[in-house]
């Protein structure tokens, strides 16, 4: 996720579908494939939009710098980056 001023967001193709997911939380998705795109909550994040960085043309241009909302994180997530890695499914 990356947060931007709402005024900086421009959708260049298609029309996202937006649903009220819980009270003031609005989530937007690609209307064709269902991929999550944006999160808005004007009550706690006025004039801001969270964008799922994996949906950007160049997601590598915005590497993470902090972890937020970790209070309910599963304990093993703190060490997940130390697990063995495979480029594809292991044989």
């Amino acid at each position: 996720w990356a947060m931007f001023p709402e005024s900086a967001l421009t959708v260049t193709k298609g029309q996202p579908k937006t649903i009220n997911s819980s009270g003031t939380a609005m989530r937007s998705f690609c209307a064709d494939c269902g991929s999550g795109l944006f999160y808005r909550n004007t009550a706690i994040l006025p004039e801001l939009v969270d964008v799922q960085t994996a949906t950007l043309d160049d997601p590598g241009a915005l590497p993470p710098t902090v972890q937020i909302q970790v209070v309910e994180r599963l304990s093993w997530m703190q060490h997940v980056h130390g697990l063995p890695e495979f480029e594809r499914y292991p044989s």
Side-chain angles (χ1 to χ4, degrees):
W1 294 96
M3 195 173 293
F4 299 95
E6 181 74 43
S7 61
L9 178 66
T10 303
V11 176
T12 60
K13 185 176 178 185
Q15 180 63 40
K17 177 181 172 96
T18 301
I19 63 165
N20 182 322
S21 62
S22 55
T24 58
M26 305 298 287
R27 297 179 188 275
S28 298
F29 302 86
C30 173
D32 293 325
C33 73
S35 293
L37 299 171
F38 317 122
Y39 172 84
R40 296 174 179 91
N41 190 326
T42 57
I44 61 172
L45 302 168
E47 300 181 35
L48 295 173
V49 58
D50 254 343
V51 177
Q52 288 197 26
T53 55
T55 65
L56 299 174
D57 290 337
D58 185 9
L62 291 173
T65 58
V66 298
Q67 297 182 55
I68 300 173
Q69 295 288 86
V70 299
V71 70
E72 295 167 341
R73 171 177 59 193
L74 297 172
S75 62
W76 53 261
M77 281 298 296
Q78 288 179 294
H79 310 289
V80 72
H81 298 294
L83 295 173
E85 296 180 349
F86 298 91
E87 289 185 11
R88 301 282 183 226
Y89 287 105
S91 53

